[in-house]
Amino acid sequence: MNTTSVVPVMDKLIIYQIFTRLFGNQNTTNRSYGSRDENGVGKFNDINDEALRSIKRLGASHIWYTGILEHATQTDYSAYGIQPDDPAVVKGRAGSPYAVKDYYDVDPDLAVNVPDRMAEFEALVERTHVHGLKVIIDFVPNHVARQYRSDVKPDSVIDLGQNDDTSVRFSINNNFYYLPGETFVAPENGEESSSVRLHEFPAKITGSGSLTAAPDINDWYETVKLNYGFNVFDGSLNFNPIPATWHQMLDILLFWCGKGIDGFRCDMAHLVPVEFWHWAIARVRQQYPGLIFIAEIYDPGLYRPFIFEGGFDYLYDKVGLYDSLRALMEGHGSCYDLTRVWQQQSGDYAQHMLRFLETHDEQRIASRFFANDPWAAIPAMTLSATMHTGPYLLYFGQEIGVRAEGSEGFSGDDGRTTIFDYWGLPEWQGWINHGRYDGLGLSDNQQRLRAFYQQLNYLVNGSDAIQNGYFYDLQYVNDNGQSAGYDAHQLYSYLRYTDRQKLLIVCNFSNHNTYETTINIPAAVFSLMGLDPNRTLHFTDLFLTTTTIETVGKAGVPVLLSPQSVLVLEIKP
């Protein structure tokens, strides 16, 4: 039960994700399918010193600025030399930030002065660094917008598709896959006819890999898939010579490294061959050795190769810990699943897993589609942050219980904060408070919730055991009646320890039940921690309560846990 893969370095990053277009928007119109001018849009400059100071005070170490790269949109910026997009291949009025239209540019929506948009982004990076925070941006390698064309690329750069032979379905020298003789047909997405019409002949393969010229409305029809040497038509791998796309994407990575960013969150990384990642990440690190790479990945079978062959620092822990915690929060999971996750999926590389309960892809905890209660996150978020070394993530608004109710336009009423529409978040605007970012517009309940997240981050940042310690799962010595009153489906207990600090952490995931029980700790484990189980030991909560317990170690630790509660007990002689 003892996981010993400890990395004795500060690996406990706390990543705060900002959806940049929404973060600073103070417009309250919120018209469904509203335009930029009707509903407003957040700017780089809205993320001011006060905003960054508040994020630093929350306890974050990194900010992931989501939606930075220029992407397809229904807003017309042709006056600034940016080609307009056919609304038939744009999702929402604002557009998906994952339908990148120019890898060498930033979203003009985010600039106060569009011609100065890159300078405004560079100023944000510098401002972020001044506040002791590091910058992560998206790298979207699997697909691009249907009408991709770089308007501002360096003269030496060959644009994607520029040299493609469109008469063949696949070539190692092509950036895209083609369906010769077929014309792309966009699905009916409810958008009005436009003077900007896309004529794509021959049709390209859709970003999802669909081998059709007429993808349906539920597909990634707004994007086309990039070719890294994997022949989607026959399944063959073609990496010799190095595919053209590899060189072009490496150039893009290095371009953004030159802007001073500190890491990349790599979108749908598992859809790109691990061989590319091995090649590209090594070359980036030759010039930028401290840069971090995070993979969005949903295939546990690829976890190990993407870490140890691909070179990724961190992987999404979605299929595993997130799914198990969500089931518990919704009242139909079991803590046995938490043991299974680390034993079968991530036990010996746990420090490489990025934990979270919300991102832009996931439903809000407070929404009726999830827990319908932001306080249900207390045990799950505490566990996500403290179960292992390795980073965790908070999505902006999570800390005040944003609910994401109603339909914003293209994004329906689904419990997610829209990534496709221009919108303002009413609860979040209470935190913005006219650019002061002091939360004076929040309710008392929202203030208390934010205080919980801040306290959790401070606990993690101040704990040697959580940052660097060993992990020991205590379920197997407490379940099946070994500890009276211990419900191993709803309670989860574990140890984190180093030479300098020992912690017993107990989480109650039940939404209704209070548990009074005794936590057994094996005598051999006390010895591992350098403690005598025959002596009286002191257990003091470092987190949410003033609980203090004195007990002989071998007799167990008596605890009382109310619904949705946790104890983080420091153990001392």
Side-chain angles (χ1 to χ4, degrees):
M1 305 303 291
N2 187 22
T3 301
T4 58
S5 59
V6 175
V7 178
V9 295
M10 179 49 182
D11 221 22
K12 201 69 185 174
L13 317 181
I14 302 176
I15 300 172
Y16 189 82
Q17 182 189 2
I18 284 177
F19 198 83
T20 316
R21 182 201 303 151
L22 302 178
F23 182 84
N25 186 19
Q26 299 178 56
N27 187 304
T28 59
T29 304
N30 283 353
R31 175 175 176 248
S32 182
Y33 282 100
S35 69
R36 176 201 62 193
D37 295 340
E38 289 171 322
N39 285 354
V41 63
K43 305 291 185 180
F44 292 131
N45 291 359
D46 289 329
I47 307 170
N48 58 23
D49 288 317
E50 287 75 17
L52 293 167
R53 197 173 291 118
S54 75
I55 294 167
K56 184 67 175 178
R57 279 199 300 263
L58 186 65
S61 59
H62 292 63
I63 299 179
W64 164 18
Y65 291 114
T66 307
I68 295 299
L69 300 181
E70 184 190 328
H71 56 79
T73 179
Q74 294 185 38
T75 302
D76 188 349
Y77 285 101
S78 58
Y80 301 96
I82 299 171
Q83 68 167 357
D85 299 287
D86 182 348
V89 287
V90 181
K91 290 181 175 177
R93 296 293 292 272
S96 168
Y98 296 101
V100 172
K101 189 169 70 175
D102 188 345
Y103 277 122
Y104 290 93
D105 206 351
V106 296
D107 179 7
D109 271 346
L110 305 178
V112 173
N113 187 13
V114 174
D116 295 333
R117 57 193 180 275
M118 185 62 78
E120 290 185 26
F121 171 70
E122 291 167 346
L124 173 61
V125 173
E126 182 178 356
R127 197 158 59 244
T128 305
H129 286 156
V130 165
H131 286 277
L133 294 156
K134 295 194 173 184
V135 173
I136 297 169
I137 66 169
D138 287 294
F139 176 56
V140 188
N142 176 68
H143 49 269
V144 295
R146 284 266 170 201
Q147 294 176 276
Y148 182 92
R149 189 185 73 191
S150 178
D151 301 313
V152 297
K153 67 178 179 60
D155 292 338
S156 60
V157 168
I158 297 171
D159 211 4
L160 294 174
Q162 181 178 325
N163 291 344
D164 279 13
D165 178 358
T166 62
S167 68
V168 296
R169 297 197 301 174
F170 169 83
S171 167
I172 197 171
N173 296 315
N174 281 358
N175 296 132
F176 301 117
Y177 304 94
Y178 295 91
L179 296 171
E182 299 186 55
T183 300
F184 169 71
V185 180
E188 291 292 330
N189 66 357
E191 295 298 341
E192 296 178 2
S193 178
S194 167
S195 59
V196 181
R197 302 303 296 172
L198 168 64
H199 178 70
E200 183 181 295
F201 179 87
K204 301 183 183 78
I205 296 302
T206 295
S208 64
S210 300
L211 306 183
T212 175
D216 69 38
I217 192 67
N218 297 311
D219 206 341
W220 302 352
Y221 63 84
E222 81 281 21
T223 64
V224 290
K225 186 171 177 64
L226 285 166
N227 167 19
Y228 286 83
F230 171 66
N231 189 332
V232 297
F233 301 101
D234 65 18
S236 63
L237 298 174
N238 305 267
F239 303 142
N240 188 17
I242 297 297
T245 303
W246 289 27
H247 292 287
Q248 288 157 284
M249 300 309 277
L250 174 60
D251 186 80
I252 291 161
L253 287 167
L254 293 173
F255 173 83
W256 290 103
C257 290
K259 298 295 182 186
I261 65 106
D262 304 291
F264 294 102
R265 176 266 187 190
C266 300
D267 185 71
M268 300 303 287
H270 62 291
L271 298 183
V272 173
V274 70
E275 291 84 356
F276 164 75
W277 294 117
H278 174 81
W279 180 88
I281 290 175
R283 281 160 176 77
V284 170
R285 289 202 172 121
Q286 286 174 3
Q287 297 185 44
Y288 301 94
L291 202 103
I292 64 171
F293 282 85
I294 300 168
E296 180 190 19
I297 185 169
Y298 301 112
D299 183 350
L302 293 176
Y303 287 0
R304 187 175 294 279
F306 267 64
I307 295 167
F308 298 109
E309 297 170 33
F312 277 95
D313 298 283
Y314 309 112
L315 313 180
Y316 267 36
D317 201 347
K318 164 68 169 68
V319 181
L321 192 63
Y322 171 90
D323 287 346
S324 298
L325 289 173
R326 174 162 182 159
L328 281 162
M329 293 167 70
E330 293 177 331
H332 55 83
S334 170
C335 289
Y336 283 107
D337 291 333
L338 304 178
T339 297
R340 175 189 54 78
V341 165
W342 75 258
Q343 283 184 331
Q344 298 180 14
Q345 291 183 10
S346 60
D348 64 341
Y349 47 86
Q351 69 273 21
H352 292 287
M353 304 307 292
L354 172 63
R355 281 85 186 198
F356 57 85
L357 293 180
E358 286 188 3
T359 70
H360 66 284
D361 285 317
E362 308 303 333
Q363 291 167 322
R364 293 288 193 173
I365 296 164
S367 78
R368 70 184 190 279
F369 298 91
F370 192 164
N372 204 32
D373 176 10
W375 293 98
I378 287 182
M381 199 66 230
T382 302
L383 183 138
S384 297
T386 65
M387 185 177 180
H388 292 300
T389 57
Y392 62 99
L393 178 149
L394 302 173
Y395 188 33
F396 91 103
Q398 176 182 344
E399 73 274 26
I400 62 162
V402 166
R403 297 181 64 85
E405 291 189 323
S407 173
E408 302 98 333
F410 185 88
S411 185
D413 183 13
D414 62 1
R416 295 176 178 86
T417 294
T418 181
I419 67 169
F420 305 106
D421 306 287
Y422 296 111
W423 203 253
L425 306 185
E427 307 106 316
W428 181 248
Q429 288 165 343
W431 173 257
I432 298 174
N433 189 25
H434 307 289
R436 298 184 186 92
Y437 295 93
D438 57 13
L440 290 183
L442 298 180
S443 68
D444 289 345
N445 192 55
Q446 289 172 319
Q447 294 275 17
R448 287 195 300 272
L449 184 66
R450 192 176 191 278
F452 157 73
Y453 280 96
Q454 181 168 300
Q455 197 169 346
L456 175 62
N457 295 339
Y458 282 26
L459 169 72
V460 169
N461 285 331
S463 170
D464 183 59
I466 293 170
Q467 291 176 14
N468 301 309
Y470 292 94
F471 163 79
Y472 197 96
D473 189 323
L474 293 171
Q475 294 296 91
Y476 82 108
V477 291
N478 287 284
D479 66 355
N480 296 320
Q482 296 177 85
S483 297
Y486 192 94
D487 180 353
H489 291 289
Q490 295 295 309
L491 297 179
Y492 191 73
S493 55
Y494 52 100
L495 298 164
R496 296 297 312 281
Y497 62 96
T498 62
D499 290 342
R500 292 192 287 175
Q501 188 181 41
K502 287 81 177 162
L503 300 177
L504 167 63
I505 302 174
V506 191
C507 301
N508 178 11
F509 286 92
S510 174
N511 296 325
H512 309 290
N513 297 331
T514 295
Y515 292 100
E516 187 171 5
T517 186
T518 299
I519 308 298
N520 292 324
I521 302 173
V525 180
F526 278 113
S527 298
L528 281 175
M529 295 190 293
L531 296 170
D532 185 349
N534 298 303
R535 297 188 61 179
T536 297
L537 299 171
H538 303 269
F539 296 78
T540 304
D541 191 6
L542 301 180
F543 192 23
L544 299 178
T545 76
T546 58
T547 299
T548 58
I549 302 164
E550 289 188 8
T551 182
V552 175
K554 66 181 181 181
V557 185
V559 295
L560 180 68
L561 291 134
S562 57
Q564 299 176 347
S565 70
V566 297
L567 290 171
V568 180
L569 300 170
E570 185 170 31
I571 311 170
K572 290 187 175 181

